[in-house]
Amino acid sequence: MVDPNPAKNLRSRRPLGKVYLVGAGPGSMSYLTLRGQQLLRQAEVLVYDALVDAQLLQLVPANCRQFDVGKRGGRPSTPQAKINQLLVEQCQQGKQVVRLKSGDPFIFGRATSEIQALTDADCTFEVVPGISSALAAPLLANIPLTDAVLSRCFTVLTAHQPEALDWEALARIDTLAILMGGRHLATIVQQLQRYGKSYQTPVAVIRACGQTQQQVWVGTLSSIVKQTAGVSLSPVVIVVGEVVGLRDYLRSQSQIPVEFTPKQETIGEDINKRSFPQMLQGQTILVTRSAQQSSTFRDLLEQEGATVIEMPALVITPPSSWDALDQAITNLSDFDWLILTSSNGVKYFFERLLTLGKDSRALSGVKIAVVGKKTAASLKEWGLHPDFIPPDFIADSLVEHFPEPLAEQTLLFPRVETGGREVLVKDLTAQGATIVEVAAYQSTCPGEIAPLASAALQNHTVNIITFASSKTVKNFRKLLEKNSNHPLSLLENVCIASIGPQTSKTCQQLLGRVDLEAQHYTLEGLTQAIVQWVNQT
């Protein structure tokens, strides 16, 4: 019998792809919805706009394909038709695609065109709302959009094409929240005054809302153009209305620390100057760790005000074979000590222990030595405390300070499959210990530099690059060589920061220098060293 609808059946045999149009919210990733976060962590393809917070790009899996299709006024941009085609193609390949849009997808987000293309191609899609900057920016500047007396209504508009707007009608509305109006501020002021808005109507211009560099200018229709002259007003939200005058009244006293004397706000004052000082404000720091391990370090740096760009230089995967580790776990009673030198070693060892139907009770009679506070913290997550942590948090001191004579001790060392810790193994063996090395995980070099990191290096916007292991230095150099004929030229005027002596040695060998080294070989110690270096320079 002839199939009456072969096209339909062909579609049914395709892998099921889906496109999620996700609102990223305004600025900081703090305002991303939980649904948006969940979808980013599962994304196979990410298609994102220019105003999306760079931190959000770090939420996707390491193997997620990323496409920057951002549109910025006055700059080359991806045509909308090409974006539509990209979404359709990736969906038809069976991919889970996240189309990440700044703010909310349907507040001037051109989502209708993309949905029409997906519908025409019979692609499944879902819209995930986001917080629009039109609503968030006024609130983050302590300005209410409505008030029982001063603002019984408000209108959200785009001033991208001011000539297309009915300014006579807009001038009668209590409060206006204007997007994409930075380049047309003078026209906006002129038109509102022309149709009857008082010259003394309060105006607020909120730039980069929700980000560490947020700035707010407050004036009137007669003064705001002069106040913002010479400043790049993109991206901005402009609020026009009497509610702007409520800003000081609604500002929480907790926003002005007692250590500082309150002062009158100056034109364009950075809002962070009214909070506790952040010593890394204005510094862009490139973090080169594995994609799975960078969040803690990023948080430490961001607490000091830094802008952090993550460049995964390691991809952590299971070993090529579990055989050696499985055999060791089967014979755990043969060992005196378990040596763990990384969080990855902890994770993969104990996960394999559970896979084989065992738990921590199998380690009864086996003592545990760990290198570093982070490794100890990872071990604690499994309900265990180490019997020994060497001082200085480095593997080199493990042999020197080992709490028992190493002669005739049998040690199990789950470690990375290739590279690293050869010196430790050699020194332990030299002391008479029998050490059994087993591959617990593998760390490899990513195929390419993360797009955001590549752009930052090419544009020389990175101030500091951090390295927490020799392997990240080696992989970083490999990635640079793939992307540039003169890789070290990308590091001109960039501070190279190392977590410890061995990493510094590799920096010297492969990058030609190291500018700072942590005194305490931890992420906290590296953060402190960076703060001190910035203060001195």
Side-chain angles (χ1 to χ4, degrees):
M1 180 177 179
V2 177
D3 191 333
N5 197 344
K8 180 178 179 181
N9 288 334
L10 178 62
R11 287 196 299 270
S12 68
R13 292 195 293 270
R14 292 173 180 166
L16 295 177
K18 187 171 182 179
V19 177
Y20 299 88
L21 293 91
V22 178
S28 170
M29 66 184 298
S30 302
Y31 306 111
L32 177 70
T33 63
L34 290 176
R35 175 63 171 156
Q37 183 183 70
Q38 176 192 38
L39 292 172
L40 282 172
R41 294 193 184 281
Q42 299 171 355
E44 295 176 294
V45 177
L46 176 66
V47 181
Y48 63 95
D49 282 347
L51 296 181
V52 166
D53 183 5
Q55 295 179 9
L56 296 178
L57 307 187
Q58 315 305 329
L59 295 178
V60 300
N63 60 350
C64 175
R65 295 190 66 188
Q66 299 184 25
F67 298 90
D68 180 358
V69 297
K71 300 173 183 289
R72 296 298 300 273
R75 303 180 191 177
S77 58
T78 307
Q80 186 60 50
K82 188 173 181 180
I83 298 174
N84 297 349
Q85 181 183 5
L86 175 63
L87 295 176
V88 169
E89 289 176 350
Q90 295 300 316
C91 183
Q92 288 179 338
Q93 292 176 24
K95 303 297 185 182
Q96 299 298 300
V97 183
V98 171
R99 173 68 173 108
L100 194 61
K101 292 173 170 285
S102 176
D104 180 271
F106 276 90
I107 305 296
F108 309 121
R110 299 181 181 176
T112 303
S113 171
E114 294 170 8
I115 287 176
Q116 185 62 55
L118 293 169
T119 301
D120 292 345
D122 200 23
C123 291
T124 305
F125 66 89
E126 177 184 329
V127 178
V128 180
I131 302 174
S132 171
S133 60
L135 303 179
L139 183 59
L140 292 171
N142 300 292
I143 298 169
L145 285 175
T146 63
D147 179 78
V149 177
L150 299 179
S151 179
R152 291 165 295 177
C153 64
F154 69 89
T155 291
V156 176
L157 63 140
T158 169
H160 180 61
Q161 295 178 309
E163 68 279 2
L165 298 171
D166 185 348
W167 289 104
E168 184 176 7
L170 291 172
R172 295 196 297 268
I173 295 172
D174 292 345
T175 303
L176 302 176
I178 306 172
L179 306 182
M180 295 178 256
R183 290 192 298 158
H184 302 295
L185 180 58
T187 301
I188 293 168
V189 167
Q190 180 185 14
Q191 293 289 357
L192 291 175
Q193 291 176 342
R194 176 186 176 188
Y195 288 104
K197 275 287 187 189
S198 167
Y199 283 51
Q200 298 305 310
T201 301
V203 180
V205 175
I206 307 153
R207 181 180 180 275
C209 80
Q211 302 179 35
T212 56
Q213 65 268 33
Q214 176 176 313
Q215 290 178 289
V216 181
W217 291 263
V218 177
T220 64
L221 284 178
S222 63
S223 68
I224 195 65
V225 173
K226 184 177 180 180
Q227 286 176 244
T228 57
V231 179
S232 175
L233 297 181
S234 177
V236 294
V237 175
I238 302 166
V239 182
V240 181
E242 296 299 331
V243 287
V244 174
L246 296 176
R247 183 169 185 247
D248 289 334
Y249 174 73
L250 294 180
R251 184 184 299 161
S252 169
Q253 288 300 110
S254 65
Q255 291 178 271
I256 306 177
V258 296
E259 286 84 350
F260 298 92
T261 303
K263 60 184 179 182
Q264 185 174 0
E265 181 178 48
T266 58
I267 297 173
E269 179 187 0
D270 192 323
I271 61 168
N272 288 298
K273 292 179 181 177
R274 293 193 296 272
S275 59
F276 293 104
Q278 293 177 302
M279 307 311 295
L280 299 181
Q281 188 75 36
Q283 299 291 318
T284 297
I285 301 178
L286 192 68
V287 174
T288 58
R289 304 193 76 209
S290 73
Q292 300 94 325
Q293 292 181 316
S294 54
S295 59
T296 300
F297 192 27
R298 183 186 67 219
D299 291 344
L300 289 170
L301 295 170
E302 288 179 345
Q303 287 170 13
E304 294 291 346
T307 297
V308 178
I309 298 175
E310 295 184 11
M311 177 182 159
L314 291 175
V315 177
I316 307 300
T317 60
S320 58
S321 171
W322 292 110
D323 292 347
L325 180 57
D326 288 353
Q327 184 177 352
I329 290 175
T330 302
N331 300 301
L332 277 175
S333 59
D334 294 344
F335 297 98
D336 301 298
W337 284 85
L338 172 66
I339 309 295
L340 298 166
T341 60
S342 71
S343 295
N344 288 317
V346 174
K347 174 181 181 294
Y348 280 90
F349 175 83
F350 282 96
E351 286 182 354
R352 195 60 186 173
L353 194 71
L354 293 179
T355 300
L356 296 177
K358 301 177 182 291
D359 56 29
S360 58
R361 290 174 295 182
L363 289 166
S364 176
V366 180
K367 297 177 183 178
I368 304 175
V370 304
V371 174
K373 287 184 176 179
K374 188 75 175 357
T375 310
S378 298
L379 184 65
K380 188 176 181 181
E381 293 176 2
W382 293 90
L384 296 171
H385 294 272
D387 297 284
F388 172 57
I389 305 178
D392 301 327
F393 316 119
I394 57 175
D396 294 350
S397 65
L398 185 144
V399 178
E400 181 181 353
H401 297 92
F402 206 80
E404 297 180 352
L406 282 164
E408 299 184 4
Q409 297 277 354
T410 303
L411 315 177
L412 174 60
F413 184 16
R415 51 166 286 180
V416 65
E417 186 167 333
T418 57
R421 304 306 185 197
E422 285 83 0
V423 174
L424 174 61
V425 174
K426 180 180 178 181
D427 290 347
L428 288 169
T429 303
Q431 295 294 320
T434 299
I435 183 162
V436 177
E437 300 176 75
V438 293
Y441 63 97
Q442 178 64 290
S443 73
T444 58
C445 183
E448 59 184 16
I449 296 179
L452 187 65
S454 178
L457 288 168
Q458 295 288 346
N459 296 330
H460 296 281
T461 58
V462 175
N463 303 110
I464 301 168
I465 300 177
T466 66
F467 296 99
S469 71
S470 289
K471 198 153 192 177
T472 57
V473 182
K474 295 173 183 177
N475 289 349
F476 177 77
R477 177 62 193 255
K478 289 180 184 177
L479 291 169
L480 285 189
E481 290 174 346
K482 283 185 177 181
N483 286 266
S484 174
N485 293 327
H486 305 283
L488 296 186
S489 67
L490 299 177
L491 305 183
E492 293 178 2
N493 302 316
V494 177
C495 170
I496 297 176
S498 161
I499 199 170
Q502 191 60 44
T503 304
S504 295
K505 182 179 178 181
T506 309
C507 288
Q508 291 282 7
Q509 292 171 344
L510 298 181
L511 305 180
R513 61 186 169 89
V514 61
D515 299 295
L516 69 88
E517 180 184 297
Q519 293 182 353
H520 300 287
Y521 312 139
T522 63
L523 296 178
E524 292 81 3
L526 183 54
T527 303
Q528 184 180 14
I530 292 172
V531 169
Q532 292 174 346
W533 183 87
V534 169
N535 287 339
Q536 292 169 359
T537 57

